[in-house]
Amino acid sequence: MNKASANRLSVACGGLSAYDIVWQRGFGAISDELLKLGFGERKACIVTDSNVAPLHLDSLVQAIRPVFKEVTVYQFPAGEVHKNLDTVRGLYTHLIESSFERKDCLVALGGGVVGDLTGYAAATFLRGIRFIQAPTSLLAMVDSSIGGKTGVDFDRYKNMVGAFYQPSLVYMNLSVLLTLNDREYLSGMGEIIKHGLIRDAEYYHWLSLHRQAILNRDYETLLIMIRESCEIKRSVVERDPKEEGERALLNFGHTLGHAVEKLKFPALLHGECVAIGMAAAAWLSVRKSSLSNEDYEGIIQMLQSFYLPVSVSQISAEAVVETAGHDKKMDAGQWKFILLKQIGCAVIDRTVTKEDAKEAALKILV
Ligand code: GLY
């Protein structure tokens, strides 16, 4: 892994577009980035939610006001239940009433819900308006703000309506991580540990060695960690932007994890469900692939050392398997499971049966 602390990474997307991920301690450097992208004298709409606005909206408005001729705000109530087409409709109305044009800009200030919803509105308003990701959760920084997956939930179905649409910039103010509560912060570690497990054993061991500094949210350690996770995500999404192959590896832990998330909603956070799903997928990796039992035990300990859950109560294995069967991660009705051959190496497996999945689900139920 690369331990240099450079604060910029460029993401290319099939030759169509490229954007930078920038890491800073505050919002101070965002105006220069926006000017470089040609946003001077355009309009901006900051999209945010009721949790994030009281904490970070004022400082972002102050930082971007000198660039734009007008800055408006569209705020919606926080929570996954608002990640839907009604909220998008409200945003479209706001943009129409404020006379937004295609060269103007949306700025997503928030976690995954805000980023995904804003990206989807950006992809569809006027057939595509530019947008900036300013993620405020650890999970959004290392996962959802990168790679152009945008969308909203539809009825009971998570991320069922969406588009691949790339931001013009991902600007990460790492100082905002200090305002997250422990549970939200640690939820992001679910995706970060996943990156090590699927791609980089050295990074996985680095995370274990730097556990205390990570728990203390030490700035330099966070910078190295977030950079490394973004680098892993970049390398995957550049090669397979539309999830036609390799990008599915990022779904390690998500097949059963999403089912748990849906069944327990709203009790568990996404990263917590990914941790539970990874515990199940790691167990299946011993059964159906070549992961050693010792590494499986180590993965469970690793997740627990970051205070992530590895089991769940009051749901049935049948319900988990049934719910997972309705997920987008099926392919022609077949399970598309991500398994580990070893730590740092994941593969797509199409041989996992409903019975295998049920046994794995039983392993995570208490
Ligand atoms: N969160 C998984 C992906 O971006 O493909």
Side-chain angles (χ1 to χ4, degrees):
M1 64 179 278
N2 176 6
K3 298 186 188 63
S5 61
N7 69 347
R8 179 181 300 269
L9 182 68
S10 188
V11 185
C13 290
L16 293 175
S17 56
Y19 56 93
D20 281 357
I21 303 171
V22 173
W23 300 279
Q24 290 289 344
R25 265 184 203 265
F27 286 120
I30 196 169
S31 57
D32 281 350
E33 299 294 332
L34 294 168
L35 285 170
K36 275 192 266 171
L37 292 166
F39 282 114
E41 289 305 302
R42 305 301 318 187
K43 291 182 187 179
C45 173
I46 300 176
V47 183
T48 190
D49 71 25
S50 53
N51 283 346
V52 175
L55 298 169
H56 308 301
L57 180 58
D58 283 353
S59 47
L60 182 61
V61 170
Q62 273 185 27
I64 69 171
R65 189 165 271 150
V67 176
F68 294 99
K69 74 171 180 219
E70 188 182 323
V71 176
T72 68
V73 175
Y74 180 76
Q75 184 184 315
F76 62 94
E80 183 83 21
V81 289
H82 298 287
K83 185 180 167 181
N84 57 36
L85 291 172
D86 292 335
T87 308
V88 174
R89 182 188 167 90
L91 176 53
Y92 289 153
T93 304
H94 173 87
L95 296 173
I96 291 165
E97 287 173 354
S98 311
S99 307
F100 267 66
E101 297 172 2
R102 193 179 288 145
K103 286 192 171 163
D104 294 326
C105 174
L106 305 187
V107 183
L109 173 69
V113 169
V114 170
D116 287 4
L117 182 143
T118 308
Y120 181 66
T124 48
F125 186 71
L126 298 175
R127 299 197 182 91
I129 180 171
R130 294 182 293 175
F131 87 113
I132 309 293
Q133 291 275 18
T136 58
S137 70
L138 181 58
L139 198 137
M141 286 184 187
V142 297
D143 184 39
S144 56
S145 66
I146 306 161
K149 275 191 182 175
T150 74
V152 293
D153 304 337
F154 186 79
D155 291 344
R156 294 178 295 123
Y157 303 102
K158 197 170 157 67
N159 297 330
M160 195 47 85
V161 175
F164 286 101
Y165 191 67
Q166 307 300 334
S168 299
L169 170 73
V170 184
Y171 185 94
M172 302 190 190
N173 167 4
L174 299 192
S175 306
V176 304
L177 295 175
L178 300 178
T179 64
L180 297 175
N181 68 39
D182 282 345
R183 202 174 150 210
E184 279 170 347
Y185 174 71
L186 292 169
S187 162
M189 290 307 298
E191 297 283 1
I192 287 172
I193 293 169
K194 178 196 81 180
H195 288 147
L197 285 172
I198 63 167
R199 249 306 148 72
D200 190 336
E202 193 194 340
Y203 179 44
Y204 175 82
H205 295 301
W206 181 92
L207 291 169
S208 174
L209 277 175
H210 292 81
R211 175 180 164 275
Q212 201 51 55
I214 295 167
L215 292 176
N216 292 345
R217 307 186 204 186
D218 168 69
Y219 184 82
E220 293 303 328
T221 308
L222 287 183
L223 184 56
I224 295 169
M225 177 178 81
I226 293 170
R227 252 192 75 89
E228 190 61 27
S229 267
C230 289
E231 172 56 39
I232 290 172
K233 177 120 194 205
R234 180 196 66 80
S235 70
V236 174
V237 300
E238 275 189 354
R239 277 199 292 268
D240 179 21
K242 295 209 167 158
E243 199 172 309
E244 284 154 344
E246 175 186 356
R247 185 166 180 167
L249 300 181
L250 292 169
N251 294 332
F252 178 62
H254 285 60
T255 311
L256 298 185
H258 267 170
V260 169
E261 188 171 2
K262 197 161 165 184
L263 292 166
K264 296 297 284 184
F265 183 80
L268 293 173
L269 301 175
H270 178 69
E272 294 172 335
C273 296
V274 169
I276 295 167
M278 287 195 294
W283 182 81
L284 264 180
S285 302
V286 177
R287 287 280 311 274
K288 309 265 309 175
S289 186
S290 51
L291 189 73
S292 71
N293 204 44
E294 194 186 344
D295 280 343
Y296 163 68
E297 300 286 350
I299 291 168
I300 299 295
Q301 278 167 23
M302 174 79 157
L303 294 168
Q304 289 177 322
S305 77
F306 283 97
Y307 305 103
L308 287 163
V310 291
S311 60
V312 59
S313 62
Q314 292 171 334
I315 50 176
S316 70
E318 287 79 12
V320 172
V321 173
E322 178 67 24
T323 309
H326 292 128
D327 200 71
K328 298 192 296 318
K329 286 157 196 60
M330 300 289 282
D331 190 5
Q334 204 178 28
W335 293 97
K336 199 164 84 178
F337 240 92
I338 311 305
L339 300 181
L340 297 178
K341 280 173 83 171
Q342 60 196 55
I343 288 175
C345 179
V347 287
I348 300 173
D349 185 292
R350 292 172 198 275
T351 69
V352 172
T353 63
K354 222 172 164 178
E355 278 313 304
D356 295 327
K358 193 169 154 197
E359 277 189 63
L362 283 169
K363 285 300 282 185
I364 52 165
L365 299 181
V366 286

